[in-house]
Amino acid sequence: MKKISALAIVLAGLLFLGNDILIKNHKSESLIYGDVISYYQILPAVFAEHDIKYSFLNKNVIPEKKYWTIVLPNGNRISKVTIGMAYMYLPFFIPAHFIQQLLGLPAYGYSMYYQIAMLLSSIFYTILALIMIRSMLLNYTWWACCR
C-alpha cells in the first residue's frame, strides 16, 4: 500500500506539471494573474523596484508589471493582502530573480523565469501536501488496525 500511494503522488505531480505546461502552451496569458497578483506583488516591489511603499506606481509603469494596491487618503499605497503567500513564493522567486540578473535580462518580476518559478512553487506545495496527507493516513491506518 505504501508503494502504491507513493506512486500515486509521483503520477499526480507529473500530471500537474503536464497539465500546467499544456495550459501555458495554449494560452498567451501569464501564470501570474487574478488573485495571485495581490499575493505575489510584494516580491517584485521589494526585490525589483526596491520600494515597499509602491511609490514607483506613481510613475509610468510597464504594462507587464501588475500591481493591485489600495491608495490611501494621504496618497500612499498598500497591498490589499498580507505577505503570507509571498513568503511561500520567496524560495522560488529568489533563484528566478538571480537568473534574470545573471542573464542580463530585465529583472522586474513578471517575465518567463518568474512564471516558471510560480509554476514550480505550486507543484512543489501540492506534492508536499499530498505527502503530508499520505503520511497522516498511513499513520492513522496503522493506528486504527492495531487498536
Side-chain angles (χ1 to χ4, degrees), residues 5-61:
S5 60
L7 180 63
I9 291 174
V10 170
L11 288 175
L14 292 174
L15 285 173
F16 293 144
L17 181 61
N19 184 46
D20 287 341
I21 290 172
L22 183 66
I23 288 172
K24 181 63 179 150
N25 285 339
H26 292 294
K27 289 186 176 182
S28 61
E29 69 183 29
S30 169
L31 291 172
I32 304 168
Y33 67 96
D35 289 347
V36 175
I37 292 171
S38 295
Y39 304 130
Y40 175 78
Q41 69 188 359
I42 188 74
L43 295 174
V46 169
F47 290 99
E49 303 294 341
H50 308 290
D51 185 4
I52 192 81
K53 295 182 178 182
Y54 299 100
S55 60
F56 61 90
L57 292 177
N58 298 332
K59 304 170 190 162
N60 291 336
V61 178

Side-chain angles (χ1 to χ4, degrees), residues 81-147:
V81 297
T82 61
I83 61 172
M85 286 302 297
Y87 281 125
M88 301 299 283
Y89 298 144
L90 185 63
F92 298 89
F93 178 88
I94 295 292
H97 192 64
F98 286 128
I99 289 171
Q100 285 285 121
Q101 291 176 337
L102 286 174
L103 295 176
L105 300 171
Y108 57 87
Y110 293 93
S111 62
M112 180 186 64
Y113 291 110
Y114 297 103
Q115 292 180 40
I116 291 170
M118 290 295 291
L119 173 70
L120 292 176
S121 74
S122 66
I123 292 170
F124 173 79
Y125 289 121
T126 301
I127 290 173
L128 182 63
L130 290 173
I131 290 169
M132 292 171 70
I133 290 169
R134 175 183 179 265
S135 175
M136 286 187 297
L137 288 174
L138 287 173
N139 287 335
Y140 175 76
T141 305
W142 176 84
W143 179 79
C145 73
C146 299
R147 259 171 126 183

